[in-house]
Amino acid sequence: MEPSKTRKRALHIENIAKRTVFLFSSISVLTTAIVVYILFSESFIFFKEVSIVEFFTSTKWSPTLRPQNFGVLPLLTGTLMIAIGASLIAIPFGLGSAIYLSEYAPKKVRKILKPILEILAGIPSIVYGFFALTVITPLIRVFLPQTQIFNALSASIAVGIMIIPMVASLSEDAMMAVPDSLRKGAYALGSTQLDVVLKVVLPAAISGIGSAFILAISRAIGETMIVAIAAGQSPTFTLNPLNSIQTMTGFMVNISLGDIQHGTIEYQTLFAIGGLLFFMTLSLNILARWIVKKQKEKLG
Amino acid sequence: MSKIIVEDLNFYYGDVQALKDVNMTIEPNEITALIGPSGCGKSTFLRAFNRMNDFIKNTSVDGSIIYDGMNIVDKDIDVVELRMKVGMVFQKPNPLPKSIFENVIYGPKRHGLKKKHLQKELVESSLKQAALWEEVKEDLNKSGFELSGGQQQRLCIARCLSMKPDILLFDEPTSALDPISTMKIEDLLVQLKEHYTIIIVTHSMHQAARISDKTAFFLNGEVIEMGETGEIFSNAKDNRTERYISGKFG
Amino acid sequence: MKDYHDQLHNYNTKPKVMLNRLFYIILLVMTMFSVFVLAILLYTIIRDSWGWFNWDFITSMPSRKAENAGIYSALLGSIWTIGLTALFSIPLGVGTALYLEEYSDKANHINRFIQLNISNLAGIPSIVYGMLGLAVFVRFLAFQRSILSGALTLTLLILPVIIVSSQEAIKSVPTNLKEASYAVGMTKWQTITGVVLPFSIPGILTGSILGVSRAMGEAAPLILVGAAGYINFAPKSVFDAYTTLPIQIFNWTSRPQAEFQKIAAAGILLLLIFLLTSNAIAIVIRNKYQNRID
């Protein structure tokens, strides 16, 4: 055993290891930098060709057909319809499940339900897309026969179902963080569970729940495969959920399926829409974090 | 010749001064006990000898601790080399989630002792020195967690001894143990001082009186008094020392 | 005062209790809705794929005729891409987590920025990673529409998941164990390999399995980096063109003929068997690991 030699080797390895893990961690920063750079530079070229006013005010979107139109509104309304529809499903059902799991469910039931929700969260969106097309759409058409085969309603229901587990898990975390002493205090005054939930737990967890809702909306905006399969490929400026529509993400998939050449306006369109999508979801994520942080500061 | 000489040592956590102008000499093959009420700086002082304070953010230190011809307070010394010579046993037994064998050989193996038969010899001699060999020699592959609290602490001592250190630091080693385990560890410490220099922080004045040769009394980061243990306990010069020892505060 | 007490004692609690009961039932129904949907979903897929999901389906190449079509090339494509993704993302993710938890000074602005940045990356839609992959791996590095481009894109996508879960696992290593290692003169890296990693490996593994399974189900980013819908050969190198299970399923789902919906369902069944198995493994590891901490 020659300590100085092994010591030297250990120090050498230590140095290499330290540099390596630092290098690894810089990859995540690099990723963000490159995303931002690419989105800006390609969008910049796009907006040299297309006026920004037309982009945000025109109600026609046909970048690959002549005459070309570059109005993003149809894609925005499509995206909006999906996000609103999905929230209407995911928020009440997610919150309801969270309240049940955190305040009512016996331990044994919880132990079974939590993994089931996790499984639901782990199912790929392509599977939900298939489900929307083969189960939800036919069901809708039984009640509303005028519904088109591809429609916003069916896709938004599937997106909503897909993000229920996320809303449930984040809201439950927020409610679990409410100290038990608050609940016990209310029960000691003869409150029912309903009173405790409505007057103690929900108000105390409100910022966490609010941020869960915002993250859910952000997730719905960015959801891709369900809408690509079930919502259609027609960018129509409409708010009728029974119509075939196109979302921003749906357009991005659609244009990528064809053979687009680098440097063409179609290629840049992809990045302009992607940039808008990135900006919208990032803002919502930052907002969600800000709400939680604000609340933490208030509580000291 | 003294083993360690501490001169004008000051230690700060941010703006809070935890040690004030500490001067002390540590003699070889003796047990030096550091006593005083909690928060008096005795643990901070102990952890300065193997630089475990380095893991706490925002600390600063000045003065000197001369050991083996170097000032070990110096930022540029090789702390790893230092810790190989200055072993430490902590308040709560902290066996690693490994077998008894792997616990004892943990340090030497990673410092280059690869030969199996040498490892076996070292594990046996370290466990014997730590008075644990007879109890565990049949099941060296058992997890360290399966031992009792007192055995775990002796395992941690064996882990230290396998590094063949020069100095052993003990940070309240018996505070989590029952009286019988405590007695075993105390007997062990007295045996170990023949080969090692020992510094122990203890919350129990009786323990200091029972096993140590020298005792230093700390209060608010200062050494109020230091001397032969018998002297301190029977004839303290400072009345704060006397009041602490007689249980008037602490 | 007497009046008040009378009032209190005669106070009818029945409506309140009834309301509580009703609320309970509504919540239970809402929770069971998810279970119900999962059951319907699994039932539909098994029903639709009945008779189509067999050994021939797994070992045949895709075909323009539904009766002859199989998923072999997509299965191999998925194994290649996911294997490569795991190979890249786990060391990168665990390394980053080690840097953030063990090496970095948490008060430092740069490190706080890295941490914040990782949380933000986790919230970016997967299709945006596809654009990044298209611009960087397909075009700039000229890897073309290859398995390598796909795997690198998926690596960036799941990196935040692996980093965050590894960080949680590393944080749970008790400080006194690390101290034990440092006190016998170990360097930081020796402490990491000797104590930190052995202790946190179950948590890291759980997070990695969940992250990699997510990559396995992803279609959107791979469409952007050019995974093809129709491949009738087995990939031989990382530079080959490829398709994956989700892409193949998407391709079949988009066809109007009813038979293709059946083989899409068979493809989904295969994908779900993989994913549910790996999720179950992850959940089992985690539960065992939680017991150890308790």
Side-chain angles (χ1 to χ4, degrees):
Chain A
M1 177 164 138
E2 218 187 313
S4 69
K5 203 170 150 195
T6 41
R7 251 319 270 148
K8 257 188 207 153
R9 234 187 92 218
L11 276 182
H12 187 61
I13 293 173
E14 174 70 22
N15 256 326
I16 295 174
K18 195 173 174 176
R19 275 158 216 245
T20 309
V21 293
F22 177 72
L23 204 70
F24 283 6
S25 69
S26 63
I27 285 180
S28 69
V29 179
L30 202 66
T31 305
T32 317
I34 294 175
V35 166
V36 172
Y37 170 76
I38 291 167
L39 293 176
F40 263 95
S41 61
E42 295 285 345
S43 307
F44 185 72
I45 305 171
F46 174 79
F47 284 115
K48 276 209 291 209
E49 304 269 328
V50 177
S51 97
I52 203 158
V53 179
E54 185 200 337
F55 186 69
F56 282 110
T57 56
S58 161
T59 57
K60 270 206 177 129
W61 178 257
S62 56
T64 51
L65 300 171
R66 313 261 155 208
Q68 286 173 310
N69 288 292
F70 294 99
V72 81
L73 285 178
L75 297 184
L76 274 179
T77 53
T79 303
L80 204 67
M81 261 198 289
I82 299 290
I84 292 173
S87 309
L88 288 178
I89 303 270
I91 288 178
F93 280 91
L95 183 59
S97 309
I99 297 174
Y100 176 74
L101 287 172
S102 108
E103 307 298 319
Y104 286 84
K107 248 196 175 153
K108 269 189 189 158
V109 179
R110 227 181 97 84
K111 261 201 158 151
I112 301 167
L113 284 177
K114 285 282 279 184
I116 291 182
L117 281 177
E118 279 177 61
I119 288 172
L120 215 51
I123 290 178
S125 65
I126 180 109
V127 179
Y128 285 103
F130 176 84
F131 185 66
L133 197 63
T134 57
V135 177
I136 302 176
T137 302
L139 202 65
I140 295 172
R141 276 156 66 95
V142 170
F143 298 103
L144 301 162
Q146 74 274 31
T147 311
Q148 296 177 352
I149 293 262
F150 300 107
N151 63 82
L153 181 60
S154 171
S156 65
I157 291 172
V159 175
I161 289 170
M162 191 183 79
I163 53 184
I164 287 174
M166 177 188 151
V167 177
S169 144
L170 291 174
S171 309
E172 199 202 339
D173 287 347
M175 285 187 266
M176 288 295 218
V178 175
D180 238 7
S181 55
L182 287 183
R183 289 187 186 87
K184 282 187 183 136
Y187 282 127
L189 295 173
S191 306
T192 61
Q193 276 154 317
L194 175 61
D195 292 327
V196 173
V197 168
L198 294 184
K199 288 172 196 149
V200 179
V201 178
L202 287 186
I206 194 69
S207 70
I209 294 171
S211 103
F213 291 174
I214 293 169
L215 289 176
I217 294 168
S218 162
R219 179 82 187 275
I221 289 175
E223 172 44 42
T224 307
M225 294 320 289
I226 297 176
V227 293
I229 291 173
Q233 284 110 30
S234 27
T236 17
F237 186 56
T238 173
L239 285 173
N240 181 353
L242 305 183
N243 282 351
S244 172
I245 54 137
Q246 190 168 48
T247 64
M248 298 194 296
T249 53
F251 164 76
M252 290 168 73
V253 163
N254 202 28
I255 198 165
S256 303
L257 288 172
D259 194 26
I260 44 167
Q261 293 303 312
H262 177 71
T264 59
I265 187 83
E266 287 89 350
Y267 183 82
Q268 284 137 17
T269 314
L270 181 63
F271 286 86
I273 297 298
L276 188 59
L277 178 69
F278 176 74
F279 175 76
M280 286 166 70
T281 50
L282 185 67
S283 316
L284 287 172
N285 293 350
I286 290 172
L287 179 66
R289 209 190 327 277
W290 181 79
I291 289 176
V292 173
K293 201 176 147 208
K294 236 5 217 193
Q295 173 82 358
K296 266 194 194 144
E297 277 167 14
K298 229 167 70 187
L299 294 174
Chain B
M1 209 185 93
S2 298
K3 196 84 193 169
I4 305 174
I5 299 167
V6 182
E7 274 178 347
D8 297 327
L9 189 74
N10 288 293
F11 192 91
Y12 308 84
Y13 293 107
D15 298 330
V16 183
Q17 187 164 8
L19 292 175
K20 290 172 199 158
D21 290 326
V22 176
N23 288 285
M24 191 181 288
T25 54
I26 307 282
E27 301 304 325
N29 301 94
E30 280 191 356
I31 297 180
T32 304
L34 312 176
I35 61 169
S38 33
C40 67
K42 58 190 192 296
S43 280
T44 303
F45 184 61
L46 186 77
R47 292 166 72 98
F49 289 108
N50 68 345
R51 295 275 293 267
M52 286 305 267
N53 290 323
D54 285 14
F55 297 107
I56 304 163
K57 299 266 144 61
N58 227 341
T59 56
S60 53
V61 58
D62 59 61
S64 64
I65 302 178
I66 305 295
Y67 163 63
D68 207 12
M70 332 175 266
N71 179 6
I72 60 171
V73 163
D74 190 339
K75 284 271 174 269
D76 295 330
I77 67 142
D78 184 350
V79 281
V80 169
E81 200 92 45
L82 173 69
R83 288 184 193 137
M84 287 166 72
K85 284 190 261 176
V86 185
M88 185 170 208
V89 174
F90 298 84
Q91 195 167 356
K92 242 177 84 187
N94 53 357
L96 299 167
K98 297 173 186 290
S99 70
I100 294 172
F101 187 90
E102 284 299 324
N103 260 287
V104 178
I105 206 70
Y106 181 80
K109 191 177 174 181
R110 282 163 184 76
H111 287 299
L113 187 70
K114 299 287 183 210
K115 290 216 175 77
K116 209 69 197 169
H117 68 277
L118 291 178
Q119 290 189 353
K120 274 187 189 148
E121 275 171 31
L122 185 58
V123 167
E124 184 176 340
S125 65
S126 305
L127 283 170
K128 275 181 177 158
Q129 264 195 301
L132 190 61
W133 175 250
E134 290 304 321
E135 292 159 62
V136 300
K137 63 181 177 190
E138 300 302 328
D139 21 43
L140 292 177
N141 291 322
K142 252 185 20 185
S143 161
F145 287 149
E146 287 174 44
L147 299 175
S148 73
Q151 289 175 322
Q152 286 188 5
Q153 195 61 301
R154 277 178 281 146
L155 178 64
C156 295
I157 294 172
R159 188 176 60 206
C160 251
L161 296 176
S162 72
M163 292 295 297
K164 307 218 181 295
D166 185 21
I167 294 169
L168 290 174
L169 308 175
F170 289 85
D171 190 0
E172 305 199 13
T174 60
S175 64
L177 303 181
D178 62 88
I180 293 175
S181 307
T182 299
M183 208 177 70
K184 279 189 183 160
I185 302 256
E186 285 182 6
D187 289 346
L188 177 60
L189 291 188
V190 174
Q191 286 169 31
L192 286 174
K193 79 172 179 181
E194 280 185 39
H195 306 284
Y196 306 95
T197 302
I198 294 176
I199 308 175
I200 177 172
V201 163
T202 175
H203 59 294
S204 149
M205 285 162 292
H206 302 293
Q207 185 166 66
R210 279 192 299 265
I211 64 171
S212 72
D213 302 291
K214 299 271 167 55
T215 296
F217 173 59
F218 278 73
L219 188 63
N220 299 328
E222 286 176 272
V223 179
I224 301 299
E225 193 168 353
M226 182 176 179
E228 296 288 332
T229 299
E231 192 74 4
I232 294 269
F233 277 87
S234 60
N235 194 9
K237 292 191 183 66
D238 195 294
N239 85 320
R240 287 171 293 182
T241 315
E242 203 204 313
R243 284 178 55 220
Y244 178 75
I245 287 171
S246 56
K248 299 248 167 59
F249 74 101
Chain C
M1 202 59 197
K2 192 176 177 297
D3 280 355
Y4 172 74
H5 278 135
D6 282 348
Q7 218 182 329
L8 198 62
H9 287 138
N10 294 333
Y11 176 62
N12 187 357
T13 56
K14 221 172 177 186
K16 229 176 124 176
V17 171
M18 292 280 285
L19 202 64
N20 186 38
R21 191 83 204 142
L22 182 70
F23 190 60
Y24 170 79
I25 291 167
I26 292 173
L27 292 178
L28 187 62
V29 168
M30 282 179 134
T31 313
M32 292 320 281
F33 174 73
S34 298
V35 180
F36 175 71
V37 169
L38 182 63
I40 297 281
L41 193 143
L42 293 178
Y43 166 75
T44 312
I45 285 158
I46 291 169
R47 184 199 63 194
D48 286 3
S49 60
W50 200 257
W52 296 85
F53 186 79
N54 52 37
W55 193 245
D56 274 350
F57 170 74
I58 293 171
T59 54
S60 303
M61 291 291 175
S63 161
R64 304 204 186 279
K65 282 193 194 136
E67 333 51 286
N68 302 332
I71 204 155
Y72 188 61
S73 56
L75 180 59
L76 287 182
S78 270
I79 292 171
W80 273 80
T81 20
I82 296 314
L84 219 52
T85 303
L87 201 67
F88 296 147
S89 61
I90 296 173
L92 277 178
V94 176
T96 304
L98 283 174
Y99 173 76
L100 289 171
E101 290 304 318
E102 296 292 324
Y103 282 97
S104 80
D105 172 4
K106 288 199 180 116
N108 183 315
H109 286 295
I110 297 172
N111 296 321
R112 274 169 52 186
F113 175 74
I114 295 178
Q115 188 71 67
L116 184 72
N117 183 58
I118 289 165
S119 330
N120 279 331
L121 280 178
I124 294 177
S126 62
I127 196 162
V128 173
Y129 286 92
M131 300 177 51
L132 172 72
L134 175 62
V136 176
F137 305 127
V138 178
R139 304 233 186 253
F140 182 71
L141 296 175
F143 294 151
Q144 306 300 336
R145 305 172 155 218
S146 63
I147 291 174
L148 185 60
S149 294
L152 288 170
T153 306
L154 291 178
T155 297
L156 295 184
L157 171 72
I158 62 169
L159 209 45
V161 182
I162 296 182
I163 294 172
V164 172
S165 57
S166 303
Q167 276 185 283
E168 291 302 320
I170 291 166
K171 260 186 221 162
S172 73
V173 180
T175 321
N176 65 357
L177 292 189
K178 289 193 263 176
E179 279 183 332
S181 176
Y182 287 125
V184 288
M186 291 297 130
T187 63
K188 197 159 255 186
W189 185 250
Q190 284 172 322
T191 302
I192 286 170
T193 53
V195 177
V196 176
L197 285 181
F199 195 90
S200 55
I201 211 81
I204 290 174
L205 213 56
T206 308
S208 302
I209 294 174
L210 292 178
V212 172
S213 337
R214 176 164 170 216
M216 185 157 202
E218 276 291 346
L222 292 185
I223 292 175
L224 265 79
V225 296
Y230 184 83
I231 291 285
N232 62 354
F233 56 88
K236 298 230 158 32
S237 94
V238 296
F239 295 106
D240 279 351
Y242 67 108
T243 186
T244 66
L245 294 176
I247 301 283
Q248 186 68 70
I249 294 163
F250 174 60
N251 181 284
W252 285 332
T253 311
S254 321
R255 301 207 192 174
Q257 302 94 320
E259 295 80 36
F260 276 105
Q261 303 302 323
K262 305 283 184 197
I263 58 168
I268 288 173
L269 188 59
L270 183 64
L271 180 63
L272 286 184
I273 288 171
F274 274 109
L275 293 182
L276 295 185
T277 314
S278 57
N279 277 10
I281 293 171
I283 290 172
V284 167
I285 295 176
R286 193 190 49 199
N287 287 352
K288 249 179 114 171
Y289 163 69
Q290 271 173 346
N291 293 342
R292 191 181 74 179
I293 294 286
D294 297 340

